Amino acid sequence: MSSSSSRPRRRTADASPCPCGSSSSYGACCGPLHSGQSAAADAKTLMRSRFSAFAVQDEAYLLRTWHPGTRPARIDFDRGTRWTGLDILDTDAGSPFHPTGTVTFRAHYTHRGRAGTLRERSRFVRYEGAWVYMDGEISAE
């Protein structure tokens, strides 16, 4: 979900719809996770919040929720890409009672005005008590 040219985080009002597609506002959904006021209780919630972090270009949150063994040094957001929607297709484990989990999703975007999708099966693990993204397998649609 990244490529070139980092820039400051996009401002998202707390009352705005959450980019993850829930029926809640950003301030009641992913905003508290991004600000560090709360932590994801399960892998699916972390996946949704990470999608929202890509949408609002919150590099700090993405790096904080990425396993240190696979985490890049930085996130380079592509100026021409806007993340527009998320479909959770499948989950396996990843509850508050599991040490690992997977979430398969389809992310919708526009790149320089052209619509596209990205499908990934993401692996999540608990690291120091918190859910973090480990890695993922991108597949063709």
Side-chain angles (χ1 to χ4, degrees):
M1 286 195 200
S2 65
S3 73
S4 65
S5 189
S6 213
R7 67 179 180 182
R9 180 178 167 185
R10 290 182 177 149
R11 298 269 180 218
T12 302
D14 283 349
S16 298
C18 194
C20 79
S22 74
S23 59
S24 297
S25 68
Y26 176 73
C29 190
C30 293
L33 288 109
H34 292 176
S35 69
Q37 293 174 344
S38 62
D42 54 47
K44 182 177 175 181
T45 301
L46 183 61
M47 176 62 244
R48 295 184 82 82
S49 69
R50 286 178 55 82
F51 173 84
S52 289
F54 273 101
V56 302
Q57 298 185 351
D58 188 342
E59 180 181 40
Y61 181 76
L62 290 166
L63 294 174
R64 189 169 67 244
T65 59
W66 207 312
H67 191 279
T70 57
R71 178 175 51 220
R74 61 182 287 201
I75 308 290
D76 292 322
F77 297 103
D78 187 325
R79 293 178 186 265
T81 301
R82 268 208 191 271
W83 297 98
T84 59
L86 176 68
D87 301 319
I88 301 295
L89 305 174
D90 189 35
T91 59
D92 182 34
S95 80
F97 306 106
H98 293 109
T100 64
T102 61
V103 178
T104 304
F105 67 92
R106 180 181 302 119
H108 302 268
Y109 63 89
T110 59
H111 180 72
R112 305 200 190 290
R114 300 188 73 186
T117 60
L118 173 124
R119 182 182 173 124
E120 181 175 314
R121 182 175 182 266
S122 296
R123 284 190 320 140
F124 297 90
V125 299
R126 287 198 180 262
Y127 178 77
E128 296 182 351
W131 283 105
V132 294
Y133 172 78
M134 178 60 87
D135 57 22
E137 296 173 12
I138 296 173
S139 60
E141 288 259 278

